[in-house]
Amino acid sequence: MKQILLIGTGGTIASEMTANGLAPELSTRQLVELVPALAEICAIDCVELLNLDSTNIGPDHWLQMAQCIQEHYDGYDGFVLTHGTDTMAYTAAALSYLIQGSPKPIVLTGAQKPIGFDTTDSKDNLTDAFRCAASDLPGVSIVFNHQVILGTRARKTHTKSFQAFASINYPNLGVLRDGVLMRYIRQDCREAPVFYSQLNHRVALLKLIPGVDRAQADFLLERNDALIIESFGVGGLPESGGFFDCIRHWRDAGKLLVLTTQVANEGSDLGVYHVGHRLKSDLRVLEAYDMTTEAVAAKLMWILGQTRNLSQAKRLFYTPVARDILWPVENGKAN
Ligand code: ASP
């Protein structure tokens, strides 16, 4: 029988109603005891790593999760992390950079309704997650509502429905039908994973709205080492508002600037319109292409945890990790 380690971090799945709303209360052992069928899938050990609403989870917790997996890696066949849904996509992306090439499954799951509620997705999600962790499913993934989503491609798209996550610009790795994993894609992996233990938190995100000027970008760039700008459509910046001078100034000051889109699907393509073309040809900003913003944020933290050299950072940014970015590589224009 496979040996799986359950690492608890909190979230709705482990929550109970308190006088001030839902809050994580249950231990991982209590979660397992509420789903007796798990005993037929695998042998389970439990670690209480955190018990947080995932709104409270940040980069230091990602490092704790990666370190916990590293410490127990040799002793288990796979790992399940229970986690709140709100920031699960960020954690899944971060773990994809912190633990690269894992031949063993590292599965995140959670729920939209607590495990103790009469109507809940907790038990199905937990059962599916353990089935996946006990299968040949290398790398980091989210298992939720019977879907298996690559860790670098997930996004929370619904705040209340059981179908809470989507895979962005990449197909699902598989689905579970009546508890059987139909794996469509097998992630590449190495013989042994490479673990990283440093992140630089100083990454900011600016979502543009019409009428914005450079002041907000300046504010964020004064305080951070990288800025992701979620622009419109395939990408570009308003020609008024001083953005182009702003980008030139901060690029010369050694900051990393990444242009992406606030549109959910199909990614950026800055070269298409006049409003974006100059950013590539002249100002040489980085471009997210088909990456999710969640993955861009986590990747920048991982990159800046290793180097402040801009050409090394650029090379790392465009080097795919866990199939986080495909378009520039497939299209032969990684610049
Ligand atoms: N606020 C909760 C959390 O992210 C929501 C959930 O788990 O679904 O921890």
Side-chain angles (χ1 to χ4, degrees), residues 24-312:
E25 300 274 335
L26 299 180
S27 69
T28 42
R29 185 45 67 193
Q30 285 174 303
L31 289 180
V32 170
E33 283 168 4
L34 285 165
V35 193
L38 296 178
E40 289 158 30
I41 300 172
C42 54
I44 302 170
D45 287 334
C46 296
V47 169
E48 304 303 327
L49 189 67
L50 306 164
N51 216 357
L52 295 174
D53 188 298
S54 75
T55 297
N56 293 322
I57 283 183
D60 288 337
H61 301 115
W62 301 337
L63 291 172
Q64 275 178 261
M65 292 176 210
Q67 194 189 345
C68 177
I69 292 170
Q70 182 169 20
E71 279 165 12
H72 293 98
Y73 198 81
D74 293 337
Y76 292 91
D77 299 303
F79 301 86
V80 173
L81 290 103
T82 44
H83 194 290
T85 59
D86 292 346
T87 64
M88 191 188 294
Y90 289 92
T91 298
L95 293 180
S96 305
Y97 299 111
L98 292 172
I99 311 170
Q100 296 189 19
S102 170
K104 298 181 182 177
I106 299 168
V107 177
L108 290 108
T109 197
Q112 293 282 56
K113 295 284 178 226
I115 200 160
F117 279 23
D118 287 345
T119 303
T120 179
D121 50 342
S122 295
K123 293 179 182 178
D124 276 357
N125 288 347
L126 207 52
T127 309
D128 283 349
F130 276 101
R131 279 190 209 285
C132 289
S135 304
D136 178 25
L137 187 78
V140 179
S141 55
I142 288 182
V143 172
F144 211 96
N145 201 34
H146 311 299
Q147 298 188 347
V148 186
I149 298 174
L150 184 60
T152 52
R153 293 291 182 169
R155 169 164 302 155
K156 185 170 180 180
T157 54
H158 290 78
T159 55
K160 298 189 175 182
S161 307
F162 287 176
Q163 181 61 46
F165 290 92
S167 183
I168 304 296
N169 300 330
Y170 198 78
N172 285 344
L173 296 181
V175 293
L176 290 114
R177 297 255 179 264
D178 297 330
V180 177
L181 171 62
M182 322 264 283
R183 200 192 59 200
Y184 303 143
I185 301 172
R186 186 178 189 279
Q187 272 209 78
D188 301 333
C189 63
R190 307 179 199 201
E191 252 178 56
V194 178
F195 286 93
Y196 292 85
S197 56
Q198 286 197 315
L199 293 169
N200 176 339
H201 306 195
R202 289 161 59 92
V203 173
L205 170 66
L206 174 63
K207 179 173 183 167
L208 297 190
I209 56 170
V212 68
D213 65 20
R214 66 174 281 181
Q216 295 177 32
D218 285 324
F219 180 88
L220 292 170
L221 281 158
E222 275 158 23
R223 289 159 179 80
N224 290 283
D225 297 327
L227 178 66
I228 306 160
I229 301 180
E230 271 192 355
S231 63
F232 311 114
V234 288
L237 288 174
E239 278 156 351
S240 63
F243 271 109
F244 288 84
D245 290 340
C246 166
I247 299 289
R248 182 176 295 103
H249 171 78
W250 290 110
R251 180 205 63 186
D252 293 347
K255 307 279 179 165
L256 274 182
L257 291 141
V258 180
L259 255 287
T260 187
T261 176
Q262 51 192 260
V263 179
N265 292 290
E266 300 176 353
S268 68
D269 200 354
L270 272 184
V272 174
Y273 292 98
H274 187 71
V275 288
H277 196 270
R278 223 175 100 205
L279 291 165
K280 289 307 288 287
S281 59
D282 225 14
L283 299 175
R284 298 188 307 281
V285 297
L286 297 173
E287 176 171 6
Y289 293 108
D290 57 317
M291 287 180 83
T292 64
T293 298
E294 291 86 337
V296 172
K299 194 172 198 177
L300 289 173
M301 290 189 200
W302 167 68
I303 291 170
L304 289 168
Q306 301 175 75
T307 183
R308 288 301 308 274
N309 175 293
L310 286 186
S311 60
Q312 273 178 29

